[in-house]
Amino acid sequence: MSGEPEPTDTDRSPLVEARDLTFGYAAVPVVEDVNLRVERGEYVGIVGPNGSGKSTLLRLLLGLHEPDSGTAELLGHPARAFAERERVGYVAQDVTEDEKRMPITVSEVVLMGRFPHAGFGRVTEDDRKRTREALRTVGIEHLADRKITALSGGQRQRTYIARALAGEAELLVLDEPTVGVDAESVDAFFELLDGLVADGMTVLLVEHDIGAVIEHASRVICLNREVYFDGDPVAFAESDALDRAYGTNVRREEGGIVT
């Protein structure tokens, strides 16, 4: 008989689940009848045209918006009531703009990920060790003492991912993480995500670069208010979902897809 502990119901549950999820602003639907599950270890890329509801869907799945109808669950719990936020590393579109003005160092930003684990609000040597390990994992240990204001866009993204790793997040949720990041840093960023997924991290990514999602993600969700496709990246590239979701704003070229 194995000495491994039996998995709990929560362990068997998908990390994210939406059922008939619908939400709108001023009676204008933004997300409509969305059903999806994200299992542990998946690397899911969400693509769609501007204004298609991608960021809103993320916020619904994270419990940051109340759906008009349907349900969203996060790590086996109702998303709106989910309390263990340290288990989810969320990097929103605007976080880089907010935090890059803060006069704190990279290591201090990453150490924030340990605060939910700090007993009586006291940071221990173990917390600092995990901070250093997270910085090393994302390749920015040499930037530990640099001010967040002095970093490039790619370096800031690695900092926020390191913060999630330091906090022992089980799910990494990224909303347009490569906007404003140079091409070389984008390639390195996706290599980093590939490595994290290989090590067991679950990634849910909203990304405008369809080609990168097809190349790196294990699954693609194409959204334009409703789900047009959910499945294998290669099948997505060969399907008509792009044309139906994007209309005339997408064209196929040798070596990639351009919107």
Side-chain angles (χ1 to χ4, degrees), residues 213-228:
V213 171
I214 291 172
E215 180 181 353
H216 294 277
S218 59
R219 174 178 159 205
V220 175
I221 295 173
C222 182
L223 182 78
N224 191 356
R225 193 172 71 184
E226 60 185 278
V227 174
Y228 280 76

Side-chain angles (χ1 to χ4, degrees), residues 86-124:
E86 70 277 7
R87 297 174 68 188
V88 180
Y90 173 45
V91 181
Q93 282 189 40
D94 56 358
V95 70
T96 58
E97 293 304 315
D98 290 342
E99 294 194 0
K100 74 181 184 181
R101 292 188 291 267
M102 296 174 64
I104 57 177
T105 66
V106 169
S107 62
E108 288 170 337
V109 171
V110 177
L111 186 60
M112 289 177 184
R114 296 299 307 165
F115 289 177
H117 303 278
F120 304 103
R122 300 179 65 179
V123 174
T124 66

Side-chain angles (χ1 to χ4, degrees), residues 111 114 117-118 122-131:
L111 186 60
R114 296 299 307 165
H117 303 278
R122 300 179 65 179
V123 174
T124 66
E125 180 53 36
D126 182 63
D127 295 321
R128 298 188 186 281
K129 177 183 177 183
R130 288 179 181 271
T131 294

Side-chain angles (χ1 to χ4, degrees), residues 35 37 80 160 163 191 209 231 234 251 253:
N35 292 275
R37 292 164 60 100
R80 289 287 285 177
Y160 306 131
R163 181 172 62 187
E191 288 178 8
D209 187 339
V234 175
R251 67 183 188 274
E253 297 181 351

Side-chain angles (χ1 to χ4, degrees), residues 179-220:
V179 170
V181 178
D182 65 89
E184 183 177 348
S185 296
V186 167
D187 290 342
F189 176 79
F190 279 108
E191 288 178 8
L192 169 62
L193 291 188
D194 290 344
L196 293 176
V197 172
D199 288 339
M201 178 65 76
T202 305
V203 173
L204 181 57
L205 165 76
V206 163
E207 175 58 46
H208 68 280
D209 187 339
I210 302 172
V213 171
I214 291 172
E215 180 181 353
H216 294 277
S218 59
R219 174 178 159 205
V220 175

